[in-house]
Amino acid sequence: DTRLRRDWSSDVCSSDLAIRIWNSSVEIKNCIFENNSNSQQNGGAILLESTNQPVYVENTLFKGNSTDLRGGAISFWSDGAELFLVNCIFDNNNANEVGGAINKDHNTNLTVLNSLFLNNTIQQSWGAAGVSIAQDMGSTDIINSIFINNTNNGGADNADISSSGVYADHCILQSVNSPAYNTGDRSEEHTSELQSRRNIVCRLLLEKKKQK
């Protein structure tokens, strides 16, 4: 239950992201990341580095965050890293390179459930303004999520999700030309892997309820 917002009257935070996660398992819930800016690294609000432990984000708003590099709101790239996003909103985030909302790189795993991506932008002609996947390694599962008015100012027609190597099921995408369009049906093996990651999310939710 925290609001992390850049103080524009101070030079102290002129090139600092809100959270840098290093070799840790972190749970973030009911937070707002607003107007954070990072001119020196990937990730305007959150940067995951050197961790292969799960990071879980729930009921959180990312609004107006930016980076001069990749991942206006979130960037992660360490092999084996797992990021779970549940009921999140990514609104008006910007990356000068790729990944207006999220930049995913290397052998990483991303699961997005029930989330909204709108008005995010990038400046390059490759990648995507919503979820940008630099390499088709690891897994990317995006379920029951909506992409609206995300813009690739470089002119390419892949503004929502940059790769066809994803599982995008029950999603509203911006165009039938999206690389992720019609990727909802996968093999039994992939479905089993997705169910395993869903089970992790459910387990975390149950543990939270027991702690209350």
Side-chain angles (χ1 to χ4, degrees):
D1 299 330
T2 302
R3 187 185 189 100
L4 296 166
R5 186 178 190 277
R6 177 183 173 183
D7 180 2
W8 287 96
S9 65
S10 172
D11 291 333
V12 175
C13 297
S14 60
S15 60
D16 289 341
L17 68 162
I19 295 179
R20 182 179 182 183
I21 300 172
W22 183 277
N23 196 28
S24 300
S25 180
V26 176
E27 295 181 20
I28 299 170
K29 185 175 181 179
N30 301 329
C31 292
I32 296 174
F33 293 83
E34 184 178 11
N35 294 341
N36 299 284
S37 180
N38 186 358
S39 63
Q40 299 177 359
Q41 296 175 305
N42 295 330
I46 297 177
L47 174 61
L48 280 67
E49 288 189 297
S50 298
T51 182
N52 58 3
Q53 302 182 59
V55 173
Y56 177 80
V57 184
E58 181 186 1
N59 297 336
T60 293
L61 169 65
F62 296 86
K63 182 177 178 63
N65 303 287
S66 64
T67 177
D68 287 350
L69 300 175
R70 301 181 182 185
I74 300 175
S75 182
F76 71 120
W77 54 268
S78 299
D79 285 350
E82 290 191 287
L83 176 61
F84 299 90
L85 301 168
V86 180
N87 299 331
C88 292
I89 297 175
F90 295 84
D91 179 15
N92 197 34
N93 302 285
N94 176 71
N96 281 353
E97 291 190 5
V98 296
I102 299 172
N103 175 69
K104 175 186 180 293
D105 208 339
H106 294 180
N107 189 21
T108 56
N109 301 310
L110 172 64
T111 301
V112 180
L113 300 176
N114 306 330
S115 294
L116 173 64
F117 298 79
L118 71 160
N119 301 322
N120 302 289
T121 58
I122 61 171
Q123 310 306 319
Q124 297 291 330
S125 60
W126 60 284
V131 178
S132 187
I133 303 165
Q135 297 173 329
D136 283 329
M137 301 172 64
S139 63
T140 304
D141 301 300
I142 304 175
I143 315 297
N144 295 333
S145 295
I146 298 174
F147 294 79
I148 301 174
N149 200 37
N150 301 284
T151 304
N152 184 331
N153 288 328
D157 190 18
N158 57 350
D160 41 31
I161 303 171
S162 67
S163 173
S164 60
V166 305
Y167 181 87
D169 190 48
H170 288 86
C171 292
I172 296 177
L173 303 179
Q174 293 179 206
S175 170
V176 295
N177 295 321
S178 168
Y181 185 76
N182 200 28
T183 61
D185 294 327
R186 286 296 179 89
S187 66
E188 182 178 348
E189 179 183 1
H190 182 92
T191 302
S192 176
E193 292 173 356
L194 175 58
Q195 186 61 48
S196 176
R197 288 190 288 279
R198 282 177 171 171
N199 288 340
I200 292 175
V201 174
C202 291
R203 189 185 73 243
L204 287 169
L205 289 171
L206 288 173
E207 289 176 353
K208 286 176 177 293
K209 290 181 180 179
K210 289 179 181 179
Q211 293 171 1
K212 292 182 179 180

